[in-house]
Amino acid sequence: MKAITLQQPQKIVFGTGCIKNFVEDYQKTALRRLFVLTAPPIRPLIEETLDVLQAAGISMEVYQDITAEPTLNDFNSIVEQARRFRADSVVGIGGGSVLDVAKLVAAFAPADQQAEDCFGTGFIRQKGLWLACLPTTAGTGSEVSPNAILLDERDHLKKGIVSPFLLADAAYVDPRLTWTVPAKVTADTGMDALTHCIEAYTNKFAHPSVDIYALQGIRLISRNLETAVRLASSADGRGSATEGPSQEYIEAREALAFGSLYGGLCLGPVNTAAVHALSYPLGGEFHIPHGLSNAILLPSVMKFNAEACPQRYADVAIAMGCTPGANDEETAQRGVDFIYQLAASVGIPDKLTALGIPQTAVDGMARAAMEVQRLLKNNPRPVTEQDARDIYNSLY
């Protein structure tokens, strides 16, 4: 068995209401200047938490203007604000973009390095500030991964910084923070988390120690996403301020949060592959949200890859609840069909034109995708520039 390195936050707390654990743990530290990164829709959910910390004598600066696709310039401005505040600790409470920026702020605020010099793997030289991550979507898995993504405006391409020094000191996965996520965001981020798990299990560098996370994540997300999306659109599911959400909704949200966490645990040791590589140009050039970019590409890339490792894709299909076929190839195809149906049922478009991307952009996107070799090298089937064109063109 080949060697593999598993690196995770020192502490991972999971459970509805566990934001209280974060408050208790933080107060036990000697840290007193907390830089908080969040987003406007999240602020009302965490106001009580911030009040408790403030009452305990913690100085805080809250930054909540992170965009869906944060740029290198955005980040450089935010990290300067953290330096001016003299932060000794950072917490990110939000979706994947918020968490990625929080991880980078913690790493670069005390450092003499620049983020633009660290794109790629292993270029950050040392540990930064103490960091906690609390995801509010399910999700990117960023709270437990060593990866962070920024949009580099210089060439309109999303780029990754990967380092063990980006791992949070503590991650608190509180499904309650996802209860108010709109149906569309639930669908997009849920498909993103499912993509993490599928791409980890079918990866050229898949490993038994990560397969466990990947398969369980596939089971949880594929069997609960449609329910969560449906109930997120329904007052009966979400509940009211007086009644609270239904038990079915709470359980679906917990399952998605757990599945997303499993997907995040796959990212460091194994990572993703062609779906993510092909999605980067959609976000970099057309500013399509990351989860939606992956969601629209996932079925087509699965169809492209299945012939390279049919047994693996058959395992994925069975984990999603598909009935086995006469052989691995047939079972794998049932899994691909299931993903097409799941994507449609949660409102993912099946054409790039629905995202405002003209077919004339295909050649440029294919060239840009070929630059993401750190992910393409993981794909079970080699992807040429013509293959990339064909996959994009299949979505017109």
Side-chain angles (χ1 to χ4, degrees):
M1 187 181 294
K2 64 187 177 185
I4 191 168
T5 300
L6 303 177
Q7 294 177 314
Q8 301 172 5
Q10 294 176 12
K11 185 169 193 173
I12 301 174
V13 183
F14 181 93
T16 298
C18 74
I19 192 171
K20 292 179 180 177
N21 297 70
F22 159 67
V23 174
E24 293 167 0
D25 290 347
Y26 187 83
Q27 287 178 289
K28 292 174 185 174
T29 72
L31 303 166
R32 286 297 177 267
R33 300 188 66 80
L34 180 63
F35 193 71
V36 181
L37 293 115
T38 189
I42 308 303
R43 188 68 185 263
L45 304 179
I46 63 171
E47 207 64 61
E48 182 180 343
T49 297
L50 300 184
D51 289 346
V52 170
L53 289 170
Q54 216 153 23
I58 307 302
S59 298
M60 281 184 295
E61 177 117 348
V62 180
Y63 186 93
Q64 62 179 33
D65 296 327
I66 295 172
T67 63
E69 300 291 331
T71 67
L72 183 59
N73 285 339
D74 292 335
F75 167 72
N76 287 332
S77 173
I78 297 167
V79 77
E80 278 305 317
Q81 188 170 329
R83 288 169 180 153
R84 288 193 298 271
F85 173 63
R86 304 191 315 281
D88 62 10
S89 48
V90 177
V91 61
I93 310 176
S97 295
V98 169
L99 300 186
D100 281 5
V101 172
K103 289 155 67 172
L104 293 169
V105 167
F108 287 100
D112 59 2
Q113 291 183 280
Q114 301 298 315
E116 52 262 44
D117 298 326
C118 295
F119 288 123
T121 301
F123 295 111
I124 298 178
R125 288 195 290 262
Q126 61 188 23
K127 174 81 171 73
L129 303 178
W130 184 92
L131 169 69
C133 287
L134 288 79
T136 61
T137 62
T140 65
S142 180
E143 69 275 7
V144 292
S145 86
N147 310 344
I149 305 296
L150 289 174
L151 172 59
D152 189 344
E153 307 97 322
R154 296 171 298 183
D155 50 14
H156 304 287
L157 190 62
K158 290 168 66 174
K159 296 180 180 178
I161 298 177
V162 183
S163 168
F165 297 127
L166 290 182
L167 284 166
D169 293 279
Y172 300 84
V173 182
D174 185 347
R176 185 188 293 272
L177 294 175
T178 71
W179 286 0
T180 58
V181 175
K184 184 181 185 312
V185 178
T186 300
D188 293 351
T189 56
M191 291 295 289
D192 183 22
L194 184 57
T195 303
H196 294 157
C197 297
I198 292 173
E199 289 209 289
Y201 189 77
T202 59
N203 199 293
K204 193 159 66 174
F205 301 102
H207 191 278
S209 62
V210 178
D211 289 348
I212 297 168
Y213 298 142
L215 285 174
Q216 184 63 4
I218 290 166
R219 291 185 190 102
L220 288 167
I221 299 165
S222 64
R223 301 180 190 200
N224 289 277
L225 181 58
E226 191 173 352
T227 298
V229 171
R230 173 174 53 82
L231 295 177
S233 305
S234 158
D236 292 336
R238 286 195 320 275
S240 63
T242 54
E243 295 181 9
S246 68
Q247 188 63 29
E248 184 183 22
Y249 186 61
I250 291 171
E251 290 175 1
R253 285 294 188 185
E254 289 177 339
L256 290 185
F258 222 156
S260 175
L261 173 62
Y262 281 132
L265 292 170
C266 296
L267 291 175
V270 173
N271 215 342
T272 56
V275 176
H276 278 69
L278 293 176
S279 80
Y280 280 8
L282 275 66
E285 186 172 351
F286 296 99
H287 308 288
I288 307 301
H290 174 71
L292 178 56
S293 298
N294 285 330
I296 198 169
L297 284 161
L298 176 60
S300 298
V301 175
M302 286 180 66
K303 185 177 180 180
F304 172 83
N305 280 341
E307 68 180 53
C309 52
Q311 183 177 351
R312 285 259 149 182
Y313 275 97
D315 292 343
V316 168
I318 291 168
M320 294 189 296
C322 298
T323 304
N327 51 44
D328 286 340
E329 287 77 10
E330 184 177 329
T331 306
Q333 183 57 50
R334 290 182 181 183
V336 174
D337 294 342
F338 176 92
I339 291 293
Y340 275 111
Q341 293 163 7
L342 177 62
S345 71
V346 298
I348 304 298
D350 60 358
K351 302 294 181 188
L352 289 175
T353 45
L355 307 183
I357 301 176
Q359 196 162 7
T360 53
V362 164
D363 287 350
M365 291 194 301
R367 285 193 296 273
M370 289 299 101
E371 298 297 314
V372 195
Q373 289 298 320
R374 72 179 183 87
L375 300 183
L376 288 176
K377 67 178 174 58
N378 301 333
N379 204 60
R381 181 179 172 186
V383 180
T384 66
E385 190 172 320
Q386 184 58 51
D387 292 330
R389 285 194 202 96
D390 292 342
I391 291 169
Y392 289 134
N393 280 323
S394 73
L395 293 166
Y396 286 94

